[in-house]
Amino acid sequence: MRISSVGTAYPPNRYPQAEITQALAKRWEGKLEEPRILNRLHANCGVDFRNLVFPLDVYPSLIGFGATNTAWIKAAVELGELAVTRALDRAGITAADISAIFFASVTGIASPTIDARLINRLPFPVTVKRTPIFGLGCVAGAAGIARASDYVRAFPDQNALLLSVELCSLTWQDDDQSIANLISTGLFADGAAAVVVSGSDSALAASTQPGPRILATRSTFYRDTEYVMGWTIGDLGFKIVLSPDVPKVVTDNFLANVQGFLSDNGLTLSDISSYIFHSGGPKVLEAMETSLSLPPNALAPSWKSLSEVGNLSAASVLAVLEDYLVNNPGTPGTYSILAAMGPAFCSELVLLRW
Amino acid sequence: MTDTTDEIEQRCIDIIAKSKNIAPESISLASSFDSLAIDSLDKINISFEVEEAFDIEIPDDALGSLKTVGDVVNGVRKLVGQPADSNATQ
């Protein structure tokens, strides 16, 4: 089984980081005890630009969970369709060739889910199996690939599709001036990514597509770290939970986690040629670099993605993966690790061979 | 500017020590922010204190590159117009 293609889509409203900071400072005028903290936190998120689903002046009119979630559904369908179409086009197949869809998001909810709504817009078979995933957060990009690969392992002549749509700007909370929310509004952004995962006996896997083979996956739950990241869900929607302990949890767990995974697959870190890691933020990327003693620039594509589009939650690691596939595919025979972490706290690792 | 190199070091260390409620003697130029449990908010609050103490303005985006006490001291020296001490980050 292999990753046959990735397609991303971003909303059209693209802003420099400072412009978003300025808009939020204006929106929260009188609410911020020390406005300079907002400027300084946002300026150090490692983010230079972000794409948002609405122009900045529209957000103050989106009040309450109902309005924002309704906006989320409409935009998620549109952006999701774009990402799916790009991934399918790149793989040279149509929606009719997909047997299972895994849909991941943590920034809005819907029933029927977004994947169901897309089946009414694209020619997916009516027999397509759907697995909507809510709540995994940033880890869902890697976890989605892992679950899609589980599926095609069971049905090797089929193709599975992973779609992640994250519209983080629709979770901004006006009544929350906590440091966690100030960081969150500086770090997270909007985007979608779709991945085609093809079974080893599928026509697609036998084609000359350049995508890497998926050799193994590993889910690891870090016990008693529920407090580190997630949402508190209230009448106004999703309120961020983001502890300063995140980098420490990464530092405490990641190396052993990766080494154990590689060892079980007969490999060590020295066998890995590239690291396709979720662009969590400067602290998380630094913690990953330090934990694995990575050489300088090993995570350059992740830093670049963070700078150019911000943290897209589950879609981020898929955007980094797209960059590798399109601009820097591995040399045949070399290994990569794709990794993300998210609420629980937990990690998902995917071992790839080009 | 009347601050000598040693004065700058000592004042930076004092600011950090006070901010984290730890003994100045336990802080050296090589101390990393991680080892002193200085998080993003601590770093920002320390930057405000340093700005006030030295009457300087630290660029908003400069904080990400500060990893050690020595980085802060060198940054202050630069902003007050004193040459950076090559030993400050060792």
Side-chain angles (χ1 to χ4, degrees):
Chain A
M1 58 195 158
R2 67 172 64 229
I3 292 169
S4 287
S5 68
V6 181
T8 53
Y10 299 95
N13 307 293
R14 185 166 172 81
Y15 295 99
Q17 176 79 335
E19 204 174 326
I20 299 173
T21 307
Q22 213 173 16
L24 283 169
K26 192 178 162 199
R27 185 170 158 182
W28 292 340
E29 206 169 358
K31 291 184 172 184
L32 293 165
E33 213 169 290
E34 172 51 273
R36 290 183 304 166
I37 291 180
L38 178 73
N39 296 338
R40 221 151 260 199
L41 283 172
H42 279 204
N44 290 282
C45 282
V47 178
D48 291 328
F49 291 93
R50 284 183 283 169
N51 291 62
L52 304 181
V53 77
F54 289 113
L56 279 165
D57 59 359
V58 170
Y59 286 91
S61 65
L62 290 167
I63 297 165
F65 182 56
T68 50
N69 197 63
T70 300
W72 179 86
I73 292 172
K74 185 172 183 296
V77 169
E78 287 168 5
L79 209 58
E81 181 176 1
L82 209 53
V84 167
T85 304
R86 284 177 182 159
L88 293 173
D89 286 350
R90 276 193 176 144
I93 60 172
T94 72
D97 299 309
I98 297 296
S99 302
I101 306 177
F102 296 81
F103 173 73
S105 185
V106 74
T107 50
I109 53 170
S111 182
T113 47
I114 302 303
D115 44 292
R117 293 163 199 250
L118 289 175
I119 293 171
N120 285 324
R121 294 166 75 116
L122 296 168
F124 287 101
V126 293
T127 53
V128 70
K129 295 165 201 166
R130 299 188 293 119
T131 307
I133 300 168
F134 175 86
L136 287 182
C138 300
V139 79
I145 288 181
R147 299 296 79 78
S149 75
D150 290 343
Y151 178 84
V152 297
R153 192 187 299 275
F155 301 99
D157 58 340
Q158 298 183 6
N159 302 312
L161 178 77
L162 165 66
L163 170 64
S164 168
V165 184
E166 299 287 19
L167 307 177
C168 303
S169 68
L170 292 175
T171 68
W172 289 349
Q173 296 292 325
D174 276 336
D175 67 339
D176 180 11
Q177 276 68 49
S178 66
I179 294 303
N181 194 42
L182 301 193
I183 293 173
S184 168
T185 56
L187 187 61
F188 292 100
D190 302 345
V195 181
V196 174
V197 178
S198 47
S200 51
D201 297 337
S202 68
L204 200 51
S207 73
T208 53
Q209 296 288 333
R213 283 169 54 210
I214 300 169
L215 299 186
T217 68
R218 171 70 50 89
S219 305
T220 307
F221 189 88
Y222 301 159
R223 283 189 193 283
D224 304 319
T225 54
E226 281 174 37
Y227 71 98
V228 164
M229 200 176 182
W231 294 131
T232 299
I233 301 175
D235 294 344
L236 296 174
F238 301 116
K239 186 173 168 182
I240 188 77
V241 173
L242 182 62
S243 161
D245 288 351
V246 169
K248 185 179 180 308
V249 172
V250 175
T251 307
D252 288 350
N253 293 282
F254 196 51
L255 176 62
N257 191 180
V258 171
Q259 281 179 329
F261 176 53
L262 290 177
S263 169
D264 290 346
N265 286 281
L267 299 170
T268 66
L269 273 168
S270 62
D271 294 307
I272 303 302
S273 350
S274 60
Y275 301 87
I276 305 166
F277 284 2
H278 165 61
S279 310
K283 293 274 187 182
V284 172
L285 286 172
E286 284 168 6
M288 287 169 137
E289 287 169 340
T290 307
S291 301
L292 303 189
S293 305
L294 296 180
N297 297 321
L299 299 188
S302 299
W303 284 100
K304 180 171 156 251
S305 178
L306 180 66
S307 159
E308 291 179 352
V309 294
N311 180 336
L312 308 171
S313 188
S316 261
V317 74
L318 308 180
V320 179
L321 175 63
E322 181 191 44
D323 188 18
Y324 270 98
L325 276 169
V326 173
N327 301 315
N328 191 23
T331 308
T334 59
Y335 296 96
S336 298
I337 297 181
L338 183 146
M341 283 176 274
F345 209 66
C346 61
S347 78
E348 286 281 342
L349 307 175
V350 180
L351 179 61
L352 303 171
R353 189 171 191 196
W354 296 86
Chain B
M1 202 55 61
T2 55
D3 291 299
T4 66
T5 295
D6 284 348
E7 279 170 357
I8 289 174
E9 283 176 17
Q10 197 50 55
R11 287 173 76 187
C12 288
I13 287 172
D14 288 345
I15 287 167
I16 293 166
K18 193 177 166 198
S19 163
K20 292 301 292 179
N21 199 22
I22 49 180
E25 300 75 40
S26 66
I27 301 175
S28 73
L29 292 173
S31 301
S32 70
F33 287 164
D34 287 344
S35 71
L36 299 173
I38 291 171
D39 64 21
S40 300
L41 181 60
D42 293 330
K43 215 195 258 192
I44 287 173
N45 286 327
I46 288 167
S47 74
F48 292 153
E49 295 288 330
V50 167
E51 282 179 328
E52 201 176 320
F54 294 97
D55 193 23
I56 55 177
E57 196 171 324
I58 300 170
D60 280 337
D61 61 359
L63 268 54
S65 60
L66 303 179
K67 311 288 182 203
T68 66
V69 174
D71 292 339
V72 176
V73 172
N74 269 341
V76 170
R77 283 200 189 103
K78 213 170 162 186
L79 288 167
V80 301
Q82 286 192 4
D85 179 357
S86 60
N87 292 321
T89 55
Q90 290 174 9

